[in-house]
Structure formats: C-alpha cells, structure tokens
Amino acid sequence: WRQDDLDRVMPALLAAKTPHTGARLESKLASDDRYTVIADATLYYRDALARQLHSAGCEAPDASAPAAQWILAALRAWGEIGMHRLEGDFAWIAWDAAESRLLAARDHAGTRPLFFASVGNGLAVSSLARTLRRVAGVHEPASWARIASAPAM
C-alpha cells in the first residue's frame, strides 16, 4: 500500500463490518501519521503494558481501548522490535507509511492465524481463510504459520 491508496480506501474500511461478528471494523483499526493498524486481537496484562509504555515516555491508551490502539502505541514506542511485549491472542497487520512497508504479526501460539494471498499487484490479508477465498482472484490463501514451518530449501 501507498499512503494515497490508504487515503482512498480508509472510508470503506471504517464502514466495513467483520464477517463473523458483524462488528464495525472501526473498532479493529487505529492509525496515526505513520502507522495504520488493523487487528483481530485480545491483549492481556494491559496494566503491565501501560507501565512499560510510560517508562518508554509514551502515553498508554485507555484500559478499555480496542487492542488496535494498544498495538499502535507499542509500535510508536518501540517499533517492530517491541512486539514481543504484547501478550494475548492476536493477528494484526500495520502499514508503516514512513518506511513504505507492511508489518504483520500473530501470537506465538497461533491462536489467531494470519492468511494472505497475492491479488493482482497487491496483497490481501485476513485472520480467516474463508474471507480471503471471497476475494476475486484468490484460490487458496497461504498461512504464515505454514510457510514458517516448511523445511528450508
């Protein structure tokens, strides 16, 4: 994604609803001038994470804020190297506009998987494979877990 692509699709993302709950995607999205985060996540130990954020000189979100806002705060504080501080079950992606790159992560246990598929010259990502199968041009989504566990060639 480029920033102008995000600016064009953001209104549609905010109006979208998640396929399995019907909840507005807005509760799963957080952004600032650098990062745009979309998360399917439950984060634990938010009090401890808040203390770590304060120690890093960053403001922590409200305790009841959606997980995407906490992930955004962690990215602001520590960048991608701080993601090991997150505890919970999650799958998320973040566009880093400053570096023009897509970050993706899921919890270490793989409770929430993360699937992706190449679509034209873009990438579709979801925590549900069936969601990706509904995207035109996608036949079989790949899983980062399956790729990571494949033997090296």
Side-chain angles (χ1 to χ4, degrees), residues 15-72:
K17 297 190 178 199
T18 58
H20 57 289
T21 66
R24 288 183 63 92
L25 187 58
E26 184 174 19
S27 67
K28 297 180 176 280
L29 184 129
S31 64
D32 64 11
D33 291 340
R34 179 171 180 174
Y35 297 106
T36 300
V37 176
I38 300 175
D40 182 11
T42 301
L43 296 179
Y44 311 139
Y45 314 116
R46 290 180 180 206
D47 290 343
L49 184 56
R51 286 191 297 276
Q52 292 175 36
L53 286 165
H54 288 299
S55 292
C58 295
E59 187 175 330
D62 182 69
S64 62
Q69 290 184 19
W70 285 87
I71 294 165
L72 177 62

Side-chain angles (χ1 to χ4, degrees), residues 139-152:
H139 300 289
E140 189 57 35
S143 164
W144 266 290
R146 187 170 40 191
I147 290 170
S149 64

Side-chain angles (χ1 to χ4, degrees), residues 84-135:
H84 71 278
R85 297 172 187 258
L86 301 178
E87 294 191 52
D89 56 279
F90 54 83
W92 60 263
I93 61 170
W95 175 249
D96 181 345
E99 299 291 329
S100 294
R101 65 185 176 148
L102 186 69
L103 306 171
R106 61 188 195 99
D107 62 273
H108 71 280
T111 306
R112 302 210 189 176
L114 197 53
F115 297 94
F116 66 97
S118 178
V119 180
N121 64 354
L123 183 71
V125 182
S126 177
S127 58
L128 298 171
R130 71 176 179 260
T131 301
L132 288 183
R133 286 188 192 105
R134 289 187 275 216
V135 175

